[in-house]
Amino acid sequence: MNKLYLKLFVVFITLLNAAASRQKAIHLGEIATSQVRIDSTLGEVDSLNAYIAPFRNRINEVLNTPLCYAPETLSKTDGRRNTSIGNLMADILLQQADKMLRMRENIPVDMAVMNYGGIRASVSKGPVSERTAYEVMPFENGLVVVAMRGQSIETMVEFLRKATVPHPVSGMKIRLDAEGNLESLRIQGLPLDPEKLYYVATSDYLIGGGNGMTFFQQHEALYKTGYTIRNAMVDYFKETDTLRSRVDDRFIQK
């Protein structure tokens, strides 16, 4: 009998609490906000500075450690159809992507194409560091390889021919006449085969049609390297003693 009374008491208390909760419903009364200006008038917090100082110092140490040396400044404005830094970037994409795809798929990469706007800084004469890579390529763009038929490569070259800026290329030679018409095209030293499957290193941003490069959407296969372009640059810098690149004859107009 005592157990029955206990159960009834628990049920009574539960019902009483439920009724009280319904009677005390919570409603939003008001929302208060305030604005804090983030500008030069705000002082530094010594305790916060002391806390982050070791992390800041370590990051700066890593970013500023010289990896190689550039005997000349590499710019994106020193050529009409190709530039010194554009050639460097395209060559890095081709070389690093080729290593990855040969190792994983036993497939050689034929060429590389990048967008002019993706290069955000020059490489200054002097020591080259990881910070340099962040300045040139501040984005998290991934390095990918797409398989494309020769007909799609023709569409790509037509886009490059009509472009008003020198988009970086590597692994191909494009010749235009004085009027800007295509005179010759060679891939890895050979004439383009419209039916052949070519492997092109590029940015994952571009394969989605970024910068108007919709021709990449015609790819037949896609290989993700899991490698950001910036990390590809850093590894290339580590493997290189002297960073050399110049305007050359890979893409010229008479």
Side-chain angles (χ1 to χ4, degrees):
M1 183 68 68
N2 290 336
K3 291 183 179 180
L4 178 61
Y5 282 131
L6 180 60
K7 290 180 180 179
L8 291 174
F9 178 73
V10 171
V11 170
F12 173 74
I13 293 299
T14 301
L15 292 173
L16 188 62
N17 286 337
S21 298
R22 286 196 297 270
Q23 293 174 358
K24 298 179 180 179
I26 298 174
H27 300 282
L28 179 64
E30 66 175 314
I31 298 176
T33 63
S34 63
Q35 187 178 58
V36 178
R37 293 181 62 85
I38 307 298
D39 56 24
S40 59
T41 62
L42 287 177
E44 295 185 352
V45 179
D46 291 340
S47 59
L48 184 59
N49 273 334
Y51 178 78
I52 66 175
F55 304 100
R56 182 199 299 122
N57 294 340
R58 177 55 182 162
I59 290 172
N60 285 332
E61 179 185 353
V62 171
L63 290 179
N64 295 332
T65 299
L67 303 178
C68 60
Y69 181 81
E72 302 291 341
T73 294
L74 307 180
S75 168
K76 62 186 285 188
T77 60
D78 55 7
R80 181 184 179 189
R81 287 289 183 173
N82 68 92
T83 67
S84 57
I85 194 171
N87 293 347
L88 172 69
M89 292 296 295
D91 289 347
I92 290 175
L93 264 60
L94 178 56
Q95 177 175 309
Q96 302 300 84
D98 185 68
K99 286 181 183 179
M100 300 289 283
L101 210 61
R102 284 181 186 271
M103 179 177 64
R104 295 180 181 179
E105 307 287 343
N106 196 29
I107 296 174
V109 179
D110 299 293
M111 69 193 87
V113 176
M114 193 181 161
N115 60 317
Y116 177 85
I119 301 173
R120 291 308 177 97
S122 299
V123 174
S124 299
K125 178 180 178 180
V128 176
S129 65
E130 191 165 334
R131 187 180 296 279
T132 307
Y134 273 87
E135 291 169 348
V136 174
M137 176 55 62
F139 314 107
E140 296 298 317
N141 291 344
L143 176 59
V144 298
V145 177
V146 289
M148 300 173 65
R149 292 289 170 188
Q151 301 98 319
S152 298
I153 300 299
E154 290 176 335
T155 303
M156 178 180 73
V157 172
E158 182 65 9
F159 175 90
L160 297 173
R161 181 186 73 82
K162 293 180 177 179
T164 57
V165 292
H167 295 298
V169 300
S170 182
M172 65 175 74
K173 284 194 174 183
I174 306 170
R175 300 283 186 276
L176 306 181
D177 62 22
E179 286 72 41
N181 300 309
L182 182 63
E183 192 172 85
S184 68
L185 169 64
R186 301 183 77 83
I187 310 295
Q188 292 293 334
L190 300 174
L192 178 75
D193 180 350
E195 300 303 321
K196 181 179 177 180
L197 199 60
Y198 292 94
Y199 294 86
V200 187
T202 189
S203 160
D204 59 358
Y205 165 69
L206 298 181
I207 62 170
N211 221 142
M213 296 189 178
T214 55
F215 51 81
F216 277 125
Q217 296 175 346
Q218 301 172 20
H219 65 264
E220 298 189 13
L222 168 65
Y223 302 87
K224 297 181 179 180
T225 66
Y227 206 21
T228 65
I229 293 177
R230 184 171 56 244
N231 286 344
M233 294 173 65
V234 171
D235 284 351
Y236 181 88
F237 293 163
K238 291 177 179 178
E239 299 163 0
T240 305
D241 177 70
T242 304
L243 200 62
R244 299 186 186 278
S245 185
R246 60 185 179 84
V247 177
D248 58 24
D249 64 347
R250 68 184 65 191
F251 190 178
I252 60 173
Q253 181 175 350
K254 292 181 178 178

